[in-house]
Amino acid sequence: MTSAGLPIIGNATEVFVYPDSHIRTLASSCAACHGSNGNSAGITPTLAGLEPGYFSAQMLAFKDGSRPATVMHHHAKGLNADEINQLATYFSQQKRVANTAPTPQKLKVGHDN
Amino acid sequence: MTTKSVNNPMNRRQFIQTASAAGALLLSQYSFALASKSPLGRVVIIGGGYAGTTAAKYIRMWSLGNIETVVIEKSSQFVSCPLSNLVLGGSKSIDDLTFGYDLVKKNHGVKWVNDEVTSVDTSAKKVTMKRGEITYDRLIIAPGIDFIYETLPNIQSAEVQQQVPHAWKAGWQTVNLRKQLEAMPDGGVFVMNVPKAPYRCPPGPYERVCQVASYLKTNKSNSKIIVLDANPEIVSKKGLFTKVWADMYTGMIDYRPNNVVVEVDIATKTVRTDFETVTANVLNIIPPQRAGKPAQMAGLNNIDKRWCEVDFLTYESKLSPNVHVIGDSVSAALPKSAHMANSQARVCANAIVALMSGQAPDATPVFANTCYSYVNDKQAMHVANVYRYDEAKKIMVSAEGGGVSASPSEQEGQYASAWAANIWSDVLT
């Protein structure tokens, strides 16, 4: 993510193309549990690079209850088939990378609250 | 939505105008003020919490660095409210929940000002801080909550809050409340209130009850908890909390709904409501809440003088063009949670990248929200929903199929901790 996140276009003569972003925004709301771009920091499964057929089958199984889940049924049921297929494609295109964690620090004296 | 290029002459001219207008007005003493403008302009973000930091990062990522982002945050550290109730229970320390901003700044080229906003001039597109000022093309206000002390003026000072903390923004007050619980005698009474909804973190007060109960049960089992709830019933996960309190903390929790705190006597830690007077050994008063101060400075808290009305496609204020509001300050029938702030921030970031590229924002945003609550040191339970834009109502509504855990479990405790690790990584790196 570092390379994509840095300013790669420095002057206005080059063209920034705003892409179709509907699915990207929805997919990013999965990040709170599955990590940025689907690369998980914890025990939640990584979604980056999952085979699209497998991904969609899991989502449909969460939806109809055939795959037991702690929480995913509540997310999968809110999405339609089209969204699930687009998410499957989106996550299959994300690279698997190690998730970076921020390092905890000592709370400073003087922090208000 | 179709993919369009910004290389269209109309749009190009607009960017250049916007960019140079903001550049000419720049009066800041901060060093980045001299840096050349990014091609698509500058977004200033007030607040480095879950909402503001996420927005800054994703605008940088999704504009491929073509938009400059400058975050103004008064604290030098990020302290997570999610999991902070576990400090009261004793299974986490505040230092487990405290982070710096260095990685998100470095990885994404987000500019950062550690300063406090003193005024917002939306007509001049300028934000003034204690030590400088800055102009913007678009402004995001993400200040979290501010407490309302109108009915309880005597609990406002920092000195009084040493004795009666709110601990509703994580930090030293959280540590203080934990120390007071440690010092409380066995057989003591912990009294806390729940302000009238909407407030930050709907299940949070009830999770706090569980965490305090968990500590007292193992360490001071003769103690009691009295909950004075201004609401007619438990606001979130009612069935689950009711069951946990009855099964896990039998006889410890005295829950009293419809009880608004009207007066607090600091010296005796006595609380008066319309119905009764209660004296505490340890007292935790969580005041009612409204949009954070910078949102008030900009005059955006138009709903009940508390919350800010926004367009849910862009999070642009209904009162002030080019000014967006995200997170707890937004007026919405949506939970004021960290995940919600994080999700709203990305819809806003995406819309801003579109608008600053001369494109239309996503017309049908959809996103997820989850709130986990820990009922003791290991077990957690959730409420989870997908929200989608309703084109007729023009608001976000919860989709079919959301809901809560069947019961708390250790497995969900592990997933809740993975949630925290992932959202911290998403926001802060």
Side-chain angles (χ1 to χ4, degrees):
Chain A
M1 179 175 315
T2 33
S3 63
L6 290 172
I8 57 164
I9 300 171
N11 64 71
T13 59
E14 286 180 67
V15 179
F16 168 68
V17 180
Y18 176 74
D20 185 343
S21 58
H22 173 71
I23 281 301
R24 181 178 71 180
T25 314
L26 168 58
S28 72
S29 82
C30 316
C33 292
H34 289 284
S36 300
N37 300 324
N39 285 289
S40 178
I43 59 161
T44 321
T46 280
L47 303 179
L50 282 185
E51 197 276 307
Y54 172 81
F55 181 103
S56 297
Q58 301 316 302
M59 292 296 276
L60 296 174
F62 290 134
K63 249 177 117 109
D64 69 18
S66 56
R67 175 168 168 183
T70 58
V71 72
M72 267 315 291
H73 52 307
H74 289 143
H75 289 294
K77 283 178 184 167
L79 302 172
N80 60 40
D82 187 39
E83 283 162 342
I84 289 173
N85 288 331
Q86 290 188 56
L87 285 167
T89 309
Y90 178 86
F91 280 111
S92 73
Q93 291 164 349
Q94 304 308 307
K95 278 208 198 68
R96 285 216 168 193
V97 294
N99 182 297
T100 32
T103 315
Q105 13 180 278
K106 271 197 122 36
L107 180 62
K108 288 181 193 157
V109 177
H111 180 96
D112 58 358
N113 311 313
Chain B
M1 206 183 298
T2 54
T3 304
K4 286 182 212 144
S5 152
V6 298
N7 196 19
N8 143 334
M10 244 339 263
N11 292 334
R12 284 282 294 284
R13 204 172 312 128
Q14 283 165 357
F15 305 146
I16 292 160
Q17 280 171 1
T18 326
S20 52
L25 284 168
L26 193 67
L27 301 165
S28 173
Q29 64 173 59
Y30 291 105
S31 57
F32 60 77
L34 300 171
S36 64
K37 286 286 294 181
S38 295
L40 301 186
R42 170 186 291 158
V43 177
V44 170
I45 297 136
I46 302 175
Y50 281 98
T53 313
T54 303
K57 166 179 164 176
Y58 278 84
I59 288 172
R60 292 294 295 166
M61 266 172 49
W62 287 344
S63 73
L64 302 178
N66 281 280
I67 296 174
E68 180 187 15
T69 59
V70 183
V71 175
I72 305 170
E73 166 56 50
K74 68 179 162 63
S75 304
S76 64
Q77 292 178 305
F78 176 101
V79 190
S80 176
C81 272
L83 299 199
S84 67
N85 279 328
L86 275 62
V87 175
L88 305 177
S91 60
K92 289 270 179 228
S93 106
I94 200 77
D95 298 340
D96 297 331
L97 314 178
T98 303
F99 303 96
Y101 291 107
D102 39 320
L103 287 174
V104 67
K105 290 194 260 182
K106 193 179 79 183
N107 292 349
H108 304 284
V110 174
K111 292 172 182 167
W112 209 271
V113 184
N114 185 197
D115 202 345
E116 189 172 343
V117 171
T118 54
S119 71
V120 179
D121 182 343
T122 53
S123 49
K125 293 184 151 189
K126 189 176 79 178
V127 177
T128 305
M129 299 156 274
K130 284 187 171 158
R131 296 187 298 274
E133 51 189 16
I134 188 169
T135 53
Y136 58 82
D137 296 307
R138 283 185 181 270
L139 177 66
I140 299 178
I141 303 188
I145 49 158
D146 178 41
F147 294 113
I148 303 173
Y149 291 108
E150 271 148 37
T151 58
L152 301 169
N154 66 329
I155 60 163
Q156 185 161 5
S157 73
E159 200 178 42
V160 166
Q161 289 179 10
Q162 292 277 333
Q163 297 168 68
V164 182
H166 53 70
W168 212 243
K169 294 180 181 178
W172 288 111
Q173 291 214 7
T174 318
V175 175
N176 173 342
L177 188 54
R178 167 69 190 180
K179 287 196 175 135
Q180 291 198 26
L181 290 166
E182 285 170 0
M184 186 173 95
D186 190 3
V189 182
F190 171 71
V191 177
M192 70 173 279
N193 75 313
V194 185
K196 248 208 174 73
Y199 55 82
R200 165 179 281 179
C201 191
Y206 313 103
E207 180 192 58
R208 175 166 293 184
V209 170
C210 295
Q211 287 300 316
V212 172
S214 164
Y215 167 70
L216 295 177
K217 187 179 167 181
T218 24
N219 296 281
K220 292 159 192 180
S221 58
N222 297 312
S223 307
K224 251 184 71 171
I225 298 174
I226 299 175
V227 187
L228 303 171
D229 196 335
N231 300 288
E233 56 179 16
I234 294 175
V235 172
S236 176
K237 306 178 194 166
K238 182 186 173 195
L240 285 165
F241 280 116
T242 305
K243 188 160 185 338
V244 166
W245 292 354
D247 296 352
M248 232 180 242
Y249 305 116
T250 319
M252 291 183 71
I253 298 158
D254 179 353
Y255 175 74
R256 305 179 185 177
N258 289 312
N259 246 322
V260 182
V261 175
V262 294
E263 198 181 334
V264 178
D265 184 67
I266 312 297
T268 59
K269 294 203 172 150
T270 301
V271 183
R272 196 166 63 75
T273 73
D274 284 331
F275 305 106
E276 56 195 317
T277 301
V278 181
T279 298
N281 293 85
V282 176
L283 179 58
N284 175 208
I285 298 292
I286 304 166
Q289 294 152 33
R290 63 185 162 202
K293 289 209 169 68
Q296 299 170 37
M297 288 172 196
L300 304 184
N301 51 322
N302 61 327
I303 303 297
D304 304 330
K305 294 195 185 140
R306 289 173 75 186
W307 311 107
C308 307
E309 191 180 4
V310 298
D311 174 338
F312 288 98
L313 295 182
T314 57
Y315 291 85
E316 194 164 6
S317 162
K318 294 274 196 173
L319 302 187
S320 189
N322 302 308
V323 181
H324 303 250
V325 183
I326 50 176
D328 293 348
S329 289
V330 169
S331 172
L334 299 170
K336 297 186 185 302
S337 74
H339 194 173
M340 181 60 69
N342 181 244
S343 286
Q344 289 180 349
R346 281 180 298 236
V347 173
C348 175
N350 187 36
I352 283 179
V353 175
L355 292 167
M356 291 176 86
S357 310
Q359 305 295 316
D362 181 358
T364 55
V366 186
F367 56 65
N369 176 67
T370 305
C371 300
Y372 282 107
S373 303
Y374 276 92
V375 300
N376 57 20
D377 57 340
K378 291 199 180 65
Q379 297 182 12
M381 57 201 195
H382 74 260
V383 54
N385 277 289
V386 169
Y387 294 88
R388 65 178 63 241
Y389 187 71
D390 182 310
E391 289 172 62
K393 295 186 188 143
K394 299 195 181 329
I395 53 170
M396 297 299 291
V397 297
S398 59
E400 295 276 296
V404 300
S405 308
S407 59
S409 68
E410 289 198 11
Q411 193 185 12
E412 284 220 88
Q414 286 163 7
Y415 281 132
S417 130
W419 172 91
N422 275 308
I423 198 168
W424 291 337
S425 163
D426 187 52
V427 175
L428 296 168
T429 74

